[in-house]
Amino acid sequence: MLATQINDLREIRKKKKRKNFFKRAAIVMFIFLTGLILFLTRNNWLPVFDGILYKYRSSVNKDDVLKNFPLKVATGNSFDLITLDDKVVLLSDTNLTKYNRDGEVSSSQQHGMSNPITKSENGRLFVYDLGYSKFIVENRSGNIITKTITDKIVYGEISSKGYVAIVSRSDSYSSLLTIYNEKGDKIFYSYLKEKILNIAFNKKSNGCIASTISAQGGQMISKLYSFNFNIDKA
C-alpha cells in the first residue's frame, strides 16, 4: 500500500514537471514568434515611434535645449515672435530670423521694412510694411512673393492657400482691397468708401468677407461686404 502511494506521488510530480516544461516552452515560442514578426514588419511600425522618440529625447535631454534657449535679443529692439510649422520666427526692426526646434538659426535676412507686421498660415509666412508699400510671402522653401505697391498698406491678411489680401489707402479713396493669388498675381480689386478693419477668407480662398466702419450723421456705421474673386477686375 505504501509503495503504491509513493509511485502515485512520483507520477504526479512527473506530470507537473511535464506541464511546467510545456508551459515554459509555449511562452518561449510565443516570445520568439512575436519577435520574429516584429522584426519582419519593422518597416511598417518603426516610423510610428519617430515622433515619440524625438519628443521623449527633447523632454528629458534638457542640457541640449539649454544650449540655445532662451533666445537672446538685442536690448531696445522691438520684435515679434511667431511659430511657423516646426520653426520659430523672430521679426525684429531689421531682420527676419528663423530658428529650428533646437534653437539654432536656420536662416536670417534683412527685410528692409520700417514697420513690419508678420502673420503665418498653413506653412506660409506673410510680412507687410504697415504705413508703407512692401510685402513678402515665404513658404517652406523660401521667398515666393515680393511686392512693392504704389499706395500705403494699412492692413493685410493671408489665406490657408496662400492668397494675400492687401488693403491700401490714398488721397483718392478710403480703402482699396487687392487680392493676390499664391503666385503673386493680382486677381481682384475693389474700391470702398469705408475703412476696412478686417478680412476673412473662405475655405477655398476664392472669396472673402470684409468688415468696414464709417461715420454717418455723427454715428459710427459698421458693414460687411462679401467678395467673389471669380469676377476678374484686374
Side-chain angles (χ1 to χ4, degrees):
M1 185 69 178
L2 180 59
T4 303
Q5 291 178 347
I6 292 174
N7 290 333
D8 290 342
L9 288 173
R10 288 177 178 174
E11 188 64 29
I12 292 173
R13 289 174 181 173
K14 288 181 180 179
K15 289 182 179 179
K16 185 178 291 187
K17 287 182 179 179
R18 284 197 297 269
K19 184 177 180 181
N20 291 337
F21 171 78
F22 286 119
K23 184 184 293 186
R24 288 193 295 269
I27 293 173
V28 171
M29 183 61 68
F30 174 78
I31 295 174
F32 173 77
L33 291 175
T34 302
L36 180 62
I37 293 172
L38 291 175
F39 175 78
L40 294 176
T41 60
R42 62 189 183 280
N43 292 332
N44 296 328
W45 58 266
L46 273 177
V48 177
F49 293 91
D50 288 346
I52 297 175
L53 293 174
Y54 179 84
K55 291 179 180 178
Y56 177 77
R57 181 182 65 81
S58 299
S59 61
V60 300
N61 197 353
K62 295 182 179 180
D63 292 337
D64 290 341
V65 176
L66 293 177
K67 289 179 182 178
N68 299 298
F69 286 103
L71 299 176
K72 295 182 180 180
V73 181
T75 305
N77 285 359
S78 60
F79 62 90
D80 191 13
L81 197 66
I82 65 170
T83 58
L84 181 66
D85 290 340
D86 60 345
K87 293 181 174 63
V88 175
V89 180
L90 179 68
L91 179 69
S92 69
D93 293 339
T94 57
N95 285 65
L96 188 66
T97 306
K98 297 177 184 176
Y99 299 86
N100 61 24
R101 51 183 151 189
D102 293 324
E104 299 171 342
V105 176
S106 58
S107 67
S108 183
Q109 66 184 70
Q110 291 185 342
H111 50 66
M113 298 184 184
S114 300
N115 191 18
I117 304 295
T118 183
K119 298 180 179 181
S120 64
E121 183 66 38
N122 197 24
R124 292 180 175 87
L125 181 68
F126 172 46
V127 186
Y128 64 91
D129 202 357
L130 180 63
Y132 296 87
S133 304
K134 181 181 179 181
F135 72 90
I136 62 174
V137 178
E138 291 188 0
N139 59 11
R140 295 175 178 88
S141 302
N143 184 277
I144 53 175
I145 301 175
T146 299
K147 291 283 185 181
T148 301
I149 64 175
T150 304
D151 300 320
K152 295 179 179 179
I153 301 174
V154 295
Y155 177 74
E157 194 62 72
I158 186 169
S159 76
S160 60
K161 295 184 179 296
Y163 282 49
V164 171
I166 295 293
V167 179
S168 57
R169 187 177 303 164
S170 73
D171 296 334
S172 304
Y173 50 84
S174 296
S175 296
L176 168 59
L177 171 63
T178 307
I179 304 297
Y180 299 86
N181 63 16
E182 75 281 6
K183 298 178 181 178
D185 301 323
K186 184 169 68 174
I187 61 170
F188 180 87
Y189 68 88
S190 182
Y191 295 94
L192 281 80
K193 296 180 180 180
E194 299 88 350
K195 178 182 178 181
I196 296 178
L197 297 178
N198 188 46
I199 298 290
F201 285 94
N202 61 22
K203 292 183 178 180
K204 295 182 178 180
S205 295
N206 59 4
C208 71
I209 300 290
S211 61
T212 67
I213 192 168
S214 62
Q216 184 176 350
Q219 294 183 343
M220 303 302 292
I221 305 297
S222 179
K223 295 180 181 180
L224 294 177
Y225 288 89
S226 177
F227 297 100
N228 183 356
F229 306 150
N230 292 329
I231 302 173
D232 190 4
K233 291 188 177 183

